[in-house]
Amino acid sequence: MRLDAIIASMQTETIHNLQIPKIGFGTWTVGGRETPDPATDAQSLAALRSALELGYRHFDTAEVYAAGHAEELLGQAVREMGLAREKLFITSKVSPEHLRYADVLYSCEHSLRRLGVDYLDLYLIHWPMQGMQLEDTFRALNLLLREGRVRHLGVSNFNLELLKQAQALSAMPLLTNQVPYSLADRTYVENGVLAYCQQNDILLTAYSPVKRMDIASHTVLQEMARARALTPQQVAMAWLTQQPRVITIPKSTNPQHQAENLRAGDLRLSVAEIEQLA
Ligand SMILES: NC(=O)c1ccc[n+]([C@@H]2O[C@H](COP(=O)([O-])OP(=O)(O)OC[C@H]3O[C@@H](n4cnc5c(N)ncnc54)[C@H](OP(=O)(O)O)[C@@H]3O)[C@@H](O)[C@H]2O)c1
């Protein structure tokens, strides 16, 4: 299939007049882990370039990833591709230790600078923090919205109670709660967050969609994948993206895995297959 045909066929989720690719690209470990690791820059840039060439247009990053270096490398790869800014959907996140009013503004400004862009499509609170003053945080986030520095707001790792608090404070409907969700981790189904998101037009962005899966012992998944000439990871991701209001952001440095993951967003599992996986 030609590249432009692949991009045109990419499944998107339509919400609040936005079309967001259901399969995004995660950047945890791009450029390092807790600190920058310049020795891995070439490998990280190669992974980002191949993702962009394959047609990924939705990227997830955070100020904490490689202490900002993931944002720098993502910005570099995007500039090198010469893509128009509006073709991309870029998410970044403010860290829990930066949730005070002035710190949020400072963090956002530095994320924008490292990425080399003048707005973020989506800005998330990365993790809740004990004792945080969400009113103060949202005063800053709402100012960023008004100034056009961020287009949409969301949260990450928020339980139902915190999600409702954030929703009440946000000047715009929250776009997402980014949480761990996979065949192996259904915490946010069990705690009621997924159902609440689906009922309230909030995306649930599933992170770590394949990482913690013990694929070797998942015989149902393996057999299903084999029967359809897919990989177990593709079936696992299709299971996610087929659910209303669920999108996902797998990370891979392997171009073949990247392509497979992108295609997973186009797959349709049958009702019987979904029941078997449930
Ligand atoms: N908000 C939060 O608190 C939070 C927390 C964790 C993650 N995240 C975000 O979510 C993104 C994804 O989560 P993650 O990186 O934890 O986990 P993940 O994407 O589920 O797993 C990444 C691992 O799975 C492998 N993989 C990916 N696709 C594969 C495929 N098709 N076949 C075989 N192996 C495959 C990758 O190896 P290869 O490179 O070899 O393909 C890599 O080792 C992160 O990068 C980050 O952006 C957010």
Side-chain angles (χ1 to χ4, degrees):
M1 206 194 276
R2 281 165 47 107
L3 181 59
D4 50 1
I6 293 174
I7 294 171
S9 77
M10 241 166 53
Q11 286 292 329
T12 56
E13 182 74 12
T14 303
I15 186 162
H16 308 314
N17 293 324
L18 264 181
Q19 285 203 316
I20 304 174
K22 272 180 164 280
I23 303 277
F25 189 84
T27 64
W28 166 236
T29 69
V30 162
R33 297 176 77 85
E34 286 78 18
T35 54
D37 179 7
T40 60
D41 278 6
Q43 190 201 13
S44 292
L45 281 169
L48 290 166
R49 283 185 197 118
S50 73
L52 283 159
E53 279 162 12
L54 284 164
Y56 283 88
R57 293 295 178 262
H58 167 189
F59 289 86
D60 177 79
T61 189
E63 64 171 342
V64 77
Y65 294 174
H69 195 42
E71 292 176 325
E72 287 169 348
L73 293 176
L74 175 58
Q76 182 180 337
V78 160
R79 274 192 301 285
E80 284 173 8
M81 274 289 282
L83 279 172
R85 175 67 185 88
E86 62 272 18
K87 299 274 184 214
L88 293 160
F89 188 90
I90 301 178
T91 303
S92 193
K93 315 186 194 84
V94 55
S95 299
E97 63 275 21
H98 296 151
L99 297 184
R100 280 191 289 265
Y101 180 84
D103 295 341
V104 173
L105 301 181
Y106 182 93
S107 283
C108 183
E109 214 41 55
H110 283 78
S111 283
L112 290 168
R113 206 174 293 169
R114 284 188 294 265
L115 282 158
V117 296
D118 54 15
Y119 69 90
L120 293 170
D121 295 278
L122 177 60
Y123 200 36
L124 309 181
I125 298 176
H126 202 151
W127 283 89
M129 177 81 147
Q130 192 112 42
M132 66 185 172
Q133 302 292 321
L134 268 187
E135 293 81 3
D136 203 32
T137 308
F138 270 94
R139 248 183 349 109
L141 292 173
N142 290 335
L143 175 65
L144 291 170
L145 271 182
R146 282 200 303 280
E147 288 179 339
R149 306 300 268 164
V150 310
R151 297 263 165 104
H152 299 274
L153 297 178
V155 293
S156 178
N157 302 297
F158 270 40
N159 66 22
L160 191 50
E161 192 191 333
L162 287 173
L163 177 62
K164 287 179 182 173
Q165 284 175 24
Q167 207 184 6
L169 292 167
S170 177
M172 269 178 86
L174 289 181
L175 195 64
T176 195
N177 188 9
Q178 185 182 119
V179 299
Y181 185 29
S182 67
L183 280 168
D185 185 347
R186 306 189 193 193
T187 310
Y188 282 81
V189 177
E190 285 149 18
N191 69 10
V193 164
L194 175 61
Y196 184 81
C197 286
Q198 289 170 330
Q199 287 152 13
N200 288 275
D201 271 344
I202 301 171
L203 295 177
L204 185 141
T205 305
Y207 73 68
S208 304
V210 294
K211 189 154 76 181
R212 289 185 194 92
M213 273 174 35
D214 180 8
I215 287 179
S217 65
H218 208 311
T219 47
V220 172
L221 182 64
Q222 281 188 11
E223 279 163 25
M224 203 176 285
R226 204 172 308 122
R228 294 183 53 150
L230 298 168
T231 70
Q233 287 84 355
Q234 285 181 300
V235 175
M237 285 185 212
W239 176 79
L240 286 171
T241 56
Q242 210 164 322
Q243 298 173 41
R245 294 308 189 207
V246 178
I247 65 174
T248 188
I249 45 170
K251 191 256 171 174
S252 173
T253 50
N254 177 324
Q256 189 183 328
H257 292 168
Q258 292 176 350
E260 288 166 0
N261 296 349
L262 207 48
R263 254 179 268 129
D266 296 327
L267 299 173
R268 282 285 157 271
L269 302 178
S270 68
V271 173
E273 284 172 321
I274 291 169
E275 276 170 7
Q276 262 184 294
L277 290 170

